[in-house]
């Protein structure tokens, strides 16, 4: 049953048209030539008319995908969708900033508004924002990164993007044109011009290719407008194929999340497959920890497989290739073979007969001396300008115990050999991989075509699409190099907070939401860049600062006793919020006494007679300062309270702890870390071992307020005027007398990123 949707061309019904295209419901979008600002979008169906949210409800209910659009058959999800429809209708220019902030908070830990897939709720809210003349301004301000990320995702869904372009065309604008009325400098992007109106301009902005910048809330954004070749909704299958020879690092996280992103975008499937073709490097430990990383990243995969599941088929395939004259056995020594490939020189073994190759193939499967001396190579083109096409190795012997199959096999396929076959057999439609492997694409397609010729019934095609590898300054991501750091004891394992592994950076205090937001903000760009770590830590700070509890710590070395002549005797205990602006953080007890501990750096900043503010208490006047005659360091302070003083007029705001038995402070070890590599950008010809930073861990002894005894491993706090910390070892974890261990969390400020272990900042100024 067809329907007609009429509207004023300056107020296009984005959500309705997008939903109709998404739901495959025939709706003709027709601007009303006599429309005015009083005209409301109206859906006409068989003589009946609908306006407002009823338009969306009709389209959803008329679709064969009704349950999916309402979040499944769950009644609760359907009610949540209806509730979001009401909220979408309530979005107004006057309240947009506050509404956007609320949406941003809601989407902080979510990909979709309801459930785990795109629903009517997402389309409705997206359409309301798209129609708002102020949305571009709010988005570009960078204060709603989660909402901007979600909005960019919705805008790139093919049907929604097509609907946007359709409405832009109807409004007389070209897709990608600047929002109505932009001046030469790009200002006024959200303002309406006299003809096209704000709505057409907003549509043009969403139709622009570079949607990723908005998602990042900064200038480091990327785009997801990569046009996966041959992609069909509901049929896209991506895969994430980690090798169990180490823990996942941040580059692997990008690969995993991008594969998940495109599977979600096209309503397809994500597969996870362990590429376990090299028993010399693989361990159970790595498999277990990769699975932990996958869980932490929140991947939703259709199934988990192993390349070793397909060893029997791959061996069958090898024999078929030999019989077809596409594989040959070569006993040329490894170094000599490498030199021959470099020169494009054919091996003397290349002309071996099929019978001879089959005989050696049997020896290789048996792991005999003859078999161990040979490798099976593809017979491609030794004269090719592409070095990867010069007869690469397909199979080689390895007598090492395989972590999964034991000693059953003596012959293993290489990754280049196994990957095209398993991709095709598992139904992978799009293999995403980093651009560093671009030279291997020709090889992949040749090998896949060879398999398609010899495998019974043939094999489906697989599309390759590459994206840029994630590089960071002062960092190596090569698994071989990271293994070296672990094996040589320069770090304490793969989860060391100095390592760029997923577990390492999470242990350092990075929230998984910050990691996801950073990676998705990069998009699927093919531009190779070196990212600064401060960008990801800045995102992290925005997540933890609004909610993490505040505590107090004083460094032990050089601490100074302040005696208040009118301080409370006996000490008094008061209850204060752990976070002034976030009540759910709870409360803490603060002990006030006649004697207090201050840090040396704060004591040194005070002048005699100065009035200072003791945080969480009030003002005090310092009457005398005692210094060490030799060093000039402050050794003691004396003063009196002035609680009637104005805290706004003092220059110094000091953190302190009561130096009385009633204040049972907690011993702390505060750890900070530096980069493992001293050079900002490591080049291919650099010997990374010459660039290793000799000192990368810094530790300071401190005491913390008694409330810190209750903190658990993984808790994130702010030590006031010191920075953010994550609890690595809680109080008592290592037994009596052992300090709590806290790791400093970078906050994105460059000076802190490059100078770990630096002294605490001086006393706060008003």
């Amino acid at each position: 049953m067809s329907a007609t949707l009429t509207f004023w061309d300056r107020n296009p019904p984005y959500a309705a048209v997008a939903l109709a295209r998404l739901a495959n419901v025939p709706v003709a979008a027709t601007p009303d030539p006599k429309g005015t600002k009083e005209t409301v979008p109206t859906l006409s169906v068989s003589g009946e008319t609908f306006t407002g949210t009823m338009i969306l409800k009709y389209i959803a209910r008329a679709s064969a995908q009704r349950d999916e659009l309402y979040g499944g058959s769950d009644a609760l999800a359907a009610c949540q969708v209806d509730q979001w429809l009401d909220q979408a209708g309530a979005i107004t220019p006057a309240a947009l900033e506050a509404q956007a902030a609320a949406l941003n908070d809601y989407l902080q830990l979510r990909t979709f508004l309801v459930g785990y897939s795109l629903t009517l709720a997402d389309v409705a809210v997206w359409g309301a924002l798209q129609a708002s003349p102020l949305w571009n301004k709010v988005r570009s301000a960078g204060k709603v990164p989660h909402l901007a990320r979600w909005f960019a995702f919705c805008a790139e869904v093919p049907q929604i993007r097509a609907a946007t372009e359709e409405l832009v065309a109807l409004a007389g604008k070209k897709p990608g044109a600047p929002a109505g009325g932009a001046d030469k400098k790009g200002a006024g992007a959200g303002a309406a011009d006299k003809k096209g109106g704000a709505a057409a301009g907003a549509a043009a902005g969403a139709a622009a290719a570079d949607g990723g910048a908005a998602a990042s809330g900064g200038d480091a954004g990327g785009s997801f407008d990569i046009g996966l070749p041959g992609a069909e909704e509901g049929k896209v299958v991506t895969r994430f194929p980690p090798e169990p020879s180490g823990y996942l690092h941040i580059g692997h996280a990008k690969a995993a999340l991008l594969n998940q992103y495109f599977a979600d975008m096209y309503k397809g499937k994500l597969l996870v497959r362990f590429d376990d073709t090299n028993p010399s490097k693989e361990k159970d430990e790595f498999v277990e920890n990769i699975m932990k990383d996958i869980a932490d990243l929140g991947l939703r995969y259709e199934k988990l497989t192993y390349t070793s599941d397909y060893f029997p088929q791959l061996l069958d395939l090898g024999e078929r290739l030999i019989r077809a004259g596409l594989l040959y056995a070569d006993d040329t020594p490894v170094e000599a073979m490498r030199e021959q490939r470099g020169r494009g020189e054919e091996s003397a073994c290349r002309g071996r007969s099929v019978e001879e190759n089959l005989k050696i193939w049997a020896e290789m499967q048996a792991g005999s001396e003859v078999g161990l001396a040979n490798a099976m190579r593809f017979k491609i083109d030794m004269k090719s300008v592409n070095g990867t096409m010069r007869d690469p190795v397909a199979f080689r012997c390895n007598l090492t115990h395989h972590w999964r199959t034991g000693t059953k096999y003596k012959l293993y396929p290489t990754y280049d050999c196994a990957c095209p076959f398993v991709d095709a057999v598992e139904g992978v439609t799009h293999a995403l991989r980093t651009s560093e492997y671009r030279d291997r694409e020709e090889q992949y397609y040749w090998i896949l075509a060879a398999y398609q010729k010899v495998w019974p019934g043939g094999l489906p095609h697989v599309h390759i699409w590459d994206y840029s590898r994630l590089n960071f300054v002062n960092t190596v991501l090569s698994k071989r190099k990271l293994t070296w750091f672990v094996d040589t004891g320069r770090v304490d394992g793969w989860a060391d907070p100095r390592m760029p592994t997923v577990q390492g950076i999470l242990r350092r205090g990075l929230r998984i939401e910050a990691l996801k937001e950073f990676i998705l903000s990069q998009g699927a760009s093919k531009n190779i860049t070196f990212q600064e770590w401060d960008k990801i830590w800045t995102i992290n700070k925005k997540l933890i600062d609004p909610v993490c509890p505040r505590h107090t710590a004083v460094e032990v070395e050089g601490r100074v006793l302040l005696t208040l002549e009118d301080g409370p005797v006996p000490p008094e205990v008061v209850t204060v919020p752990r976070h002034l602006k976030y009540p759910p953080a709870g409360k803490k007890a603060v002990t006030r006494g006649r004697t207090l501990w201050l840090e040396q750096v704060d004591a040194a900043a005070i002048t005699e007679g100065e009035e200072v503010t003791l945080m969480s208490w009030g003002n005090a006047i310092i009457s005398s300062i005692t210094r060490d005659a030799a060093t000039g360091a402050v050794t003691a302070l004396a003063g009196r309270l002035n609680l009637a003083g104005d805290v706004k007029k003092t220059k110094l705001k000091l953190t302190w702890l009561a130096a009385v038995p009633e204040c049972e402070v907690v011993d702390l070890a505060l750890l900070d870390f530096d980069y493992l590599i001293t050079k900002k950008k490591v080049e291919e010809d650099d010997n990374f071992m010459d660039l290793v930073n000799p000192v990368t861990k810094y530790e300071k002894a401190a005491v913390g307020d008694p409330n810190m005894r209750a903190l658990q491993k993984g808790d994130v706090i702010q030590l006031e005027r010191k920075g953010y910390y994550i609890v690595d070892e809680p109080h008592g974890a290592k037994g009596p007398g052992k300090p709590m261990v806290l790791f400093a969390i970078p906050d994105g400020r460059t000076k802190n990123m490059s100078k770990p272990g630096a002294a605490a900042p001086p006393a706060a100024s008003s």
Side-chain angles (χ1 to χ4, degrees):
M1 185 181 299
S2 62
T4 302
L5 181 62
T6 57
F7 55 93
W8 185 38
D9 62 0
R10 300 189 192 183
N11 184 27
Y14 297 105
V17 177
L19 181 63
R21 306 301 175 253
L22 192 67
N24 198 27
V25 173
V27 172
T30 307
D32 184 348
K34 297 181 180 180
T36 68
K37 62 181 180 181
E38 306 299 330
T39 302
V40 296
T42 302
L43 183 71
S44 300
V45 186
S46 299
E48 298 291 333
T49 59
F50 302 102
T51 59
T53 59
M54 288 306 300
I55 296 176
L56 299 178
K57 291 180 179 180
Y58 170 81
I59 295 173
R61 291 167 181 170
S63 172
Q65 306 170 41
R66 173 180 175 174
D67 285 348
E68 184 178 347
L69 291 169
Y70 269 94
S73 57
D74 179 37
L76 177 60
C79 288
Q80 290 174 324
V81 169
D82 283 338
Q83 193 171 38
W84 278 110
L85 288 183
D86 294 339
Q87 293 191 40
I91 291 176
T92 62
L96 183 62
E97 288 193 21
Q99 291 168 330
L103 280 166
N104 185 70
D105 290 343
Y106 181 81
L107 287 163
Q108 178 175 324
L109 305 179
R110 295 174 172 88
T111 303
F112 303 100
L113 293 175
V114 177
Y116 298 99
S117 61
L118 195 75
T119 66
L120 172 56
D122 297 288
V123 179
V125 176
W126 170 84
L129 292 175
Q130 180 71 10
S132 174
L134 297 179
W135 167 236
N136 279 343
K137 180 180 179 182
V138 172
R139 179 175 60 170
S140 61
K143 295 181 180 180
V144 289
H146 309 295
L147 178 59
R149 174 254 305 161
W150 167 87
F151 182 88
F153 173 87
C154 292
E156 293 297 335
V157 172
Q159 295 90 338
I160 295 179
R161 185 177 178 85
T164 304
E165 293 171 349
E166 177 183 347
L167 289 169
V168 171
L170 289 172
K173 293 286 184 181
K174 293 182 179 180
D183 63 19
K184 292 181 180 179
K185 296 181 181 179
D193 67 11
K194 294 182 180 179
K195 296 181 180 179
D210 190 13
S216 71
D219 60 1
S223 172
F224 284 99
D225 181 28
I226 66 170
L228 290 181
E232 295 182 48
E233 184 175 311
K235 297 182 180 180
V236 168
V237 179
T238 62
R239 72 345 184 219
F240 174 55
E243 180 186 1
S245 57
Y247 290 27
L248 297 188
H249 58 57
I250 193 169
H252 297 129
K254 177 178 180 178
L257 292 173
L258 284 184
N259 276 284
Q260 179 80 77
Y261 185 96
F262 287 111
D264 289 345
M265 172 180 281
Y266 290 98
K267 298 182 180 179
K269 300 175 183 178
L270 168 67
L271 309 179
V272 172
R273 180 202 315 143
F274 279 100
D275 171 43
D276 54 347
T277 58
N278 187 351
S280 298
K281 296 182 178 180
E282 296 152 5
K283 299 178 183 177
D284 285 341
E285 172 199 352
F286 297 143
V287 174
E288 292 168 3
N289 281 280
I290 289 173
M291 290 304 298
K292 179 183 185 304
D293 295 338
I294 286 173
D296 287 340
L297 290 170
L299 294 193
R300 302 180 306 280
Y301 51 89
E302 182 76 12
K303 64 178 179 178
L304 173 68
T305 62
Y306 303 83
T307 299
S308 55
D309 293 336
Y310 301 93
F311 281 171
Q313 295 97 314
L314 285 162
L315 292 177
D316 179 15
L317 179 67
E319 183 171 331
R320 292 174 185 275
L321 291 169
I322 293 171
R323 293 185 183 280
L326 298 174
L327 279 187
Y328 66 94
D330 191 350
D331 59 2
T332 304
V334 173
E335 286 302 321
M337 185 187 296
R338 185 174 293 117
E339 291 174 3
Q340 287 177 351
R341 292 190 70 201
R343 297 192 299 266
E345 178 183 315
E346 292 186 359
S347 165
C349 302
R350 203 172 193 266
R352 280 175 166 168
S353 66
V354 169
E355 290 73 19
E356 188 176 2
N357 286 324
L358 286 172
K359 182 179 179 181
I360 297 174
W361 175 252
E363 295 286 344
M364 293 177 71
Q365 291 190 67
S368 68
E369 186 174 345
V370 172
L372 289 169
N374 279 270
M376 278 290 167
R377 297 175 65 180
F378 288 109
K379 186 180 289 187
I380 306 181
D381 181 6
M382 285 299 293
K383 300 300 182 183
S384 174
V385 294
N386 182 346
T388 70
M389 298 292 284
R390 296 176 185 174
D391 293 9
V393 172
F395 293 88
R396 58 166 57 94
C397 289
N398 192 329
L399 303 185
T400 305
H401 182 277
H402 188 279
W403 75 276
R404 193 160 178 261
T405 62
T407 57
K408 181 177 181 179
Y409 300 100
K410 309 294 189 298
L411 178 64
Y412 295 92
T414 62
Y415 176 82
D416 291 335
C417 169
C419 189
F421 176 78
V422 182
D423 280 347
V425 167
E426 291 190 336
V428 171
T429 60
H430 294 81
L432 276 66
R433 58 184 187 179
T434 54
S435 54
E436 63 188 296
Y437 296 109
R438 189 171 296 164
D439 286 350
R440 294 184 179 272
E441 289 182 18
E442 182 183 4
Q443 179 199 89
Y444 181 103
Y445 285 132
W446 186 96
I447 293 173
L448 179 58
Y451 294 169
Q452 290 168 333
K453 293 176 183 177
V454 302
W455 193 250
L459 293 168
H461 186 64
V462 180
H463 297 282
I464 294 177
W465 192 270
D466 55 25
Y467 58 90
S468 65
R469 172 176 171 159
L470 187 57
N471 299 302
F472 279 90
V473 298
N474 300 98
T475 304
V476 292
L477 291 177
S478 158
K479 199 176 291 185
R480 175 182 62 83
K481 295 172 183 176
L482 294 178
T483 300
W484 179 86
F485 277 102
V486 174
D487 290 346
T488 58
R490 284 168 172 78
V491 294
D492 301 322
W494 288 89
D496 188 289
R498 292 164 289 186
M499 291 281 276
T501 56
V502 172
Q503 292 189 37
I505 56 180
L506 294 184
R507 188 179 174 199
R508 181 82 182 267
L510 188 74
R511 291 278 294 273
I512 195 70
E513 299 82 15
L515 175 61
K516 288 183 178 181
E517 182 177 329
F518 174 81
I519 287 175
L520 292 178
S521 76
Q522 302 301 304
S525 168
K526 299 187 180 185
N527 298 323
I528 299 175
T529 60
F530 277 77
Q531 298 293 322
E532 297 281 351
W533 280 102
D534 58 0
K535 295 179 182 178
I536 194 169
W537 291 115
T538 297
I539 295 172
N540 194 62
K541 177 186 175 182
K542 291 177 181 178
L543 294 177
I544 64 176
D545 180 73
V547 297
C548 71
R550 272 52 171 166
H551 287 274
T552 302
V554 172
E555 291 178 15
V556 172
E557 184 177 358
R559 62 183 174 177
V560 178
L561 197 66
L562 165 61
T563 302
L564 297 170
E565 60 186 56
D566 54 350
V569 179
E572 62 184 27
V573 178
V574 296
T575 301
V576 300
R578 295 174 79 202
H579 192 308
L580 291 175
K581 298 180 180 180
Y582 187 65
K587 296 184 177 182
K588 62 182 178 181
V590 175
T591 302
R592 298 169 176 171
R594 187 170 180 270
T595 51
L596 312 177
W597 287 118
L598 300 184
E599 290 201 346
Q600 177 66 223
V601 66
D602 287 344
I606 301 171
T607 58
E608 199 165 290
E610 183 175 5
E611 185 169 359
V612 300
T613 295
L614 301 173
M615 295 175 66
S616 298
W617 193 351
N619 287 2
I621 298 173
I622 306 303
S623 57
S624 69
I625 302 175
T626 305
R627 298 180 184 275
D628 183 283
T631 65
V634 177
T635 56
L637 297 168
R640 65 184 186 280
L641 291 170
N642 182 29
L643 300 181
D646 189 347
V647 298
K648 295 181 180 179
K649 294 183 178 180
T650 58
K651 177 182 178 183
L652 302 179
K653 321 294 183 186
L654 308 178
T655 46
W656 53 275
L657 287 172
V660 296
E662 291 82 355
C663 182
E664 298 180 356
V665 294
V666 182
D667 290 334
L668 307 176
L670 304 181
L671 273 65
D672 205 349
F673 306 96
D674 200 354
Y675 297 119
L676 293 173
I677 297 293
T678 57
K679 188 176 180 181
K680 195 164 189 176
K681 182 179 179 182
V682 181
E683 306 292 347
E684 284 190 15
D685 56 352
D686 285 332
N687 182 351
F688 81 96
M689 287 182 280
D690 295 335
L691 308 175
V692 173
N693 194 347
V695 181
T696 56
K697 182 190 290 188
Y698 303 82
E699 181 174 342
K700 290 183 178 180
V703 290
D705 66 67
N707 306 277
M708 296 179 68
R709 280 182 170 78
L711 295 175
Q712 301 299 310
K713 182 177 178 64
D715 284 351
V716 171
I717 64 171
Q718 184 189 71
L719 292 179
E720 291 184 302
R721 298 181 50 253
K722 285 186 174 297
Y724 305 97
Y725 286 81
I726 184 170
V727 178
D728 191 66
E729 294 178 10
H731 176 69
K734 294 293 185 180
K738 299 293 184 180
M740 284 183 67
V741 177
L742 279 72
F743 291 166
I745 304 174
D747 61 8
R749 292 183 294 175
T750 302
K751 62 181 180 181
N752 288 356
M753 293 295 299
S754 59
K755 296 181 180 178
S765 299
S766 58

